[in-house]
Amino acid sequence: MEEGQVLHTSPYVAQIEKFADSLKQLSKTFLQMEGKKKSFSREEIDNMFVHVRDKVCANCEKNEWCWKENFVRTYQMGYEILSAVDRYGNELNTETKRKLQQYCVMAPVFLREMLEAFQGARLNMMWENRMVLSREGCAIQLDAFAEMIRSTAKEMEDSMFTDERMEKKIIAVLKKRGVRVLHINFFMSKDGKYEVHVTARMLQEQCITVKQLVKEISRVMGRRLVPGGNQAQVLGREYLSIVCMEGPSFYTLQGVARIGKGSSQICGDNFMMIDLPGGRRGAALSDGMGSGEKACRESTLVIELLEELLEAGFPEKTAIQMINTTLVMGREEIHYSTIDMSIFDLYTGKLELLKAGASSTFIRKRDRVEHICSTSLPIGVLHKIEIDSVERQLESGDYVIMVTDGIMDALPVGEQDIIMETIIKGTWMVNPKEMAEHILQQILNWSKEPPQDDMTVLVIGIWDTVRA
């Protein structure tokens, strides 16, 4: 922190902390509620017997004998039937059937009603357990959301500061350009990167581009600032909040090549590129279960959810966990999809790879190709998943090649990694789009048959802005 700068604590941060604590407590309450049932309670078993007695035994001549004089033996017989059904299914075993026929004069009807009562109770247990899983899923979501807003509040509190001297200098310089400043907020990230938010408007019926305004602020602060994110291009008579960020040291370009199963135009793989907070850029690739339209719908859903959560400010791992919980809770059948994310820090050149059931990723450097694989499960299978995370340092001119399973499966088992590394190392293209198309074509030439699965190659290159 430079001289004249004072840390600023917002009263809203404390309120956000309280909100996060409430969500954490709600999540804890959900998890402390009754868990999954593994067996029937005594009351549920008694209800099964009451059902059978009312439906079968009420008008039987041996009712008094079975349910009063031989009450214990009748219950024992019922328990044997329930145990046999649980073990052998509705067909039971021969010994249990023989005992029931000897004991009960209405054995077929007794057995049918007992099976009906058992199946009804088991269905109720299944739905109760499903509600428990949904409640646990909600608890996981709430806990993740609480952690996110807590960390966001802490980051906000730590990053905000005031600099009256610098604020006065900016206001004075912009006033000469006909700009009226309402207020200025200063932020500094944990790695020392400045961010300035200026709310201003033009005094006269004239305009100034946001790019020019940011350039003026950069000159005053002595830092290379650039306009941040998606915002207006021109400042007019209406007040506008303009975000100025320190310019990154790197930039990325990407290219994709893909083909559907059997050379179909419909591919079950989907991808996206997205700008993330803190001067980062993300690439995500999802492979839906199966191929064709159904797989395309699945992977599209995953990519759209991921994009919405990331744009809302959720951390990447939290977003993936939340999508997984949503997919598991919302369906009776399992529909899984993979998620493969590459996150580029454009200030430092660091790369973070996040994988959930995803295929291999390759990093091409000047002198070698590195292969990174994953052993995690796809999303949509279990309520809690493990997300593989790997970090690497990139240099200008490096490429990250992300592929789906269809690419690797098209190559001979046991030789897939070596062949892919050879193909990537042998590509002379600089343009990521051309490189992706070349790699896909080489795979198709190697397999010498129509694609047996959807195939996608996503290439992202990173370069130094100074050399650009």
Side-chain angles (χ1 to χ4, degrees), residues 122-216:
R122 186 159 63 178
L123 184 63
N124 287 338
M125 180 188 291
M126 182 188 72
W127 280 109
E128 287 177 14
N129 285 340
R130 184 165 294 177
M131 289 176 65
V132 170
L133 288 175
S134 296
R135 190 170 63 236
E136 290 177 354
C138 287
I140 294 171
Q141 299 275 35
L142 288 170
D143 192 70
F145 186 55
E147 285 298 325
M148 186 206 73
I149 63 175
R150 190 194 299 278
S151 63
T152 301
K154 185 70 169 66
E155 186 177 329
M156 183 187 300
E157 184 179 31
D158 293 343
S159 65
M160 295 175 65
F161 67 91
T162 57
D163 189 335
E164 293 183 2
R165 181 179 61 85
M166 183 62 68
E167 184 175 344
K168 289 178 181 178
K169 289 178 66 176
I170 293 174
I171 291 174
V173 168
L174 294 183
K175 186 177 181 180
K176 293 179 182 179
R177 297 296 301 265
V179 178
R180 172 179 167 78
V181 176
L182 183 62
H183 57 75
I184 301 176
N185 292 320
F186 295 94
F187 301 87
M188 181 186 289
S189 66
K190 57 186 177 183
D191 55 356
K193 300 298 180 184
Y194 273 70
E195 189 171 312
V196 184
H197 293 203
V198 180
T199 301
R201 69 175 179 87
M202 298 301 296
L203 290 171
Q204 305 295 330
E205 292 294 339
Q206 56 186 1
C207 297
I208 183 174
T209 66
V210 169
K211 192 172 182 180
Q212 288 175 313
L213 188 145
V214 174
K215 189 175 181 180
E216 291 288 349

Side-chain angles (χ1 to χ4, degrees), residues 11-35:
Y12 299 107
V13 171
Q15 187 61 42
I16 293 174
E17 283 279 0
K18 291 180 181 178
F19 184 45
D21 290 339
S22 298
L23 290 176
K24 294 282 285 185
Q25 185 58 45
L26 186 58
S27 171
K28 185 178 179 181
T29 301
F30 277 179
L31 292 174
Q32 288 176 341
M33 294 173 71
E34 185 178 357

Side-chain angles (χ1 to χ4, degrees), residues 362 369 416-427 446:
F362 299 86
V369 174
Q416 298 163 324
D417 300 340
I418 296 175
I419 295 173
M420 274 298 295
E421 290 174 16
T422 302
I423 291 174
I424 293 170
K425 192 179 293 185
T427 56
W446 190 281

Side-chain angles (χ1 to χ4, degrees), residues 1-2 10 50 93 105 124 126 136-137 145 186 199 287 292-293 319 337 340 345 361 372 382 411:
M1 192 67 65
E2 297 178 2
S10 170
V50 169
N93 58 331
V105 296
N124 287 338
M126 182 188 72
E136 290 177 354
F145 186 55
F186 295 94
T199 301
D287 182 358
E293 290 186 14
S337 295
D340 198 358
D345 188 323
T361 295
I372 299 171
L382 301 175
L411 300 173

Side-chain angles (χ1 to χ4, degrees), residues 317 351-356 372-374 376 386-392:
K317 288 185 180 180
L351 167 71
E352 182 180 15
L353 298 176
L354 301 178
K355 290 180 173 290
I372 299 171
C373 59
S374 168
S376 58
E386 294 294 329
I387 301 173
D388 290 336
S389 177
V390 177
E391 290 189 358
R392 292 292 185 271

Side-chain angles (χ1 to χ4, degrees), residues 342-361:
S342 295
I343 303 165
F344 300 84
D345 188 323
L346 301 182
Y347 290 108
T348 64
K350 285 185 178 179
L351 167 71
E352 182 180 15
L353 298 176
L354 301 178
K355 290 180 173 290
S359 186
S360 301
T361 295

Side-chain angles (χ1 to χ4, degrees), residues 72-86:
V72 175
R73 188 180 175 192
T74 302
Y75 251 67
Q76 185 179 3
M77 186 71 245
Y79 271 114
E80 286 187 26
I81 293 174
L82 292 177
S83 299
V85 172
D86 191 44

Side-chain angles (χ1 to χ4, degrees), residues 7 43 71 75 148 186 194 201 246 285 328 339 437:
L7 284 172
E43 182 181 359
F71 176 83
Y75 251 67
M148 186 206 73
F186 295 94
Y194 273 70
R201 69 175 179 87
E246 284 204 63
L285 182 60
V328 173
I339 288 186
E437 291 175 345

